[in-house]
């Protein structure tokens, strides 16, 4: 017997998959897979944000970019899986911003990506999460994120 309304059903299936994909859920053969991991990338350098976000997106992460302390804090912390933050984020200390985000979402994993900072700030940062040197430890940062549960 011929399939009735085949193209219509196919269109509905594609529309349904697109809707679910926009919610950050991947599908394979109609079964839900892992949700897309969402990363807050906060760095005042547009060049660093562009390079890192491009690489992370290529690996399948969703990236939300922020170039100031205020922009980073405006992101809904409940929707974030990882925070990658520069320690010197404009006028603010990145550890303070990360601590506020972590307080709003204790399951978020925080790492710092910095070109340098004072010993005091580095010590505070290491109490929150790992610190990676910019740009030398770019691959180590990605390896850390991929290894986190």
């Amino acid at each position: 017997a011929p399939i009735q309304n085949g193209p219509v059903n196919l269109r509905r299936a594609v529309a349904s998959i697109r809707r679910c994909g926009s919610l950050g859920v991947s599908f394979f053969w109609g079964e839900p897979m892992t949700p897309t991991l969402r990363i807050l990338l906060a760095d005042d350098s547009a060049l660093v944000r562009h390079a890192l976000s491009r690489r992370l997106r290529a690996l399948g992460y969703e990236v939300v970019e922020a170039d100031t302390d205020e922009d980073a804090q405006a992101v809904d912390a409940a929707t974030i899986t990882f925070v990658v933050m520069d320690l010197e984020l404009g006028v603010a200390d990145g550890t303070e911003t990360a601590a506020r985000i972590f307080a709003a979402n204790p399951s978020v994993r925080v790492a710092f990506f910095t070109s340098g900072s004072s010993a005091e700030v580095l010590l505070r940062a290491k109490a929150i999460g790992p610190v990676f040197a910019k740009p030398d430890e770019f691959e180590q940062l990605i390896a850390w994120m991929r290894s986190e549960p």
Side-chain angles (χ1 to χ4, degrees):
I3 299 174
Q4 295 182 356
N5 297 328
V8 173
N9 291 338
L10 180 59
R11 277 190 229 117
R12 284 184 189 160
V14 169
S16 177
I17 289 170
R18 284 187 181 143
R19 275 195 308 276
C20 291
S22 69
L23 299 173
V25 178
S26 301
F27 277 80
F28 180 74
W29 294 101
E31 294 297 319
M33 293 172 64
T34 57
T36 303
L37 299 179
R38 194 164 191 233
I39 298 169
L40 169 59
L41 174 59
D43 198 304
D44 56 351
S45 167
L47 181 64
V48 170
R49 282 193 325 272
H50 174 75
L52 191 53
S53 66
R54 184 175 177 182
R55 176 71 198 281
L56 293 170
R57 285 184 179 112
L59 292 170
Y61 295 103
E62 179 183 344
V63 180
V64 178
E65 297 180 38
D67 62 351
T68 65
D69 170 58
E70 294 84 19
D71 288 347
Q73 289 184 53
V75 175
D76 182 6
T79 66
I80 300 297
T81 309
F82 290 103
V83 174
V84 176
M85 183 157 305
D86 188 358
L87 281 175
E88 296 178 7
L89 191 59
V91 297
D93 177 344
T95 60
E96 296 168 7
T97 305
R100 286 188 206 111
I101 293 168
F102 186 74
N105 179 0
S107 67
V108 74
R109 287 159 328 264
V110 179
F112 298 95
F113 194 51
T114 189
S115 57
S117 198
S118 70
E120 179 184 326
V121 172
L122 284 171
L123 190 60
R124 280 198 314 263
K126 288 178 181 179
I128 298 170
V131 178
F132 297 94
K134 207 186 339 187
D136 299 335
E137 295 181 337
F138 184 76
E139 292 303 318
Q140 290 90 331
L141 169 64
I142 291 173
W144 172 80
M145 289 189 336
R146 296 182 89 184
S147 70
E148 286 293 299

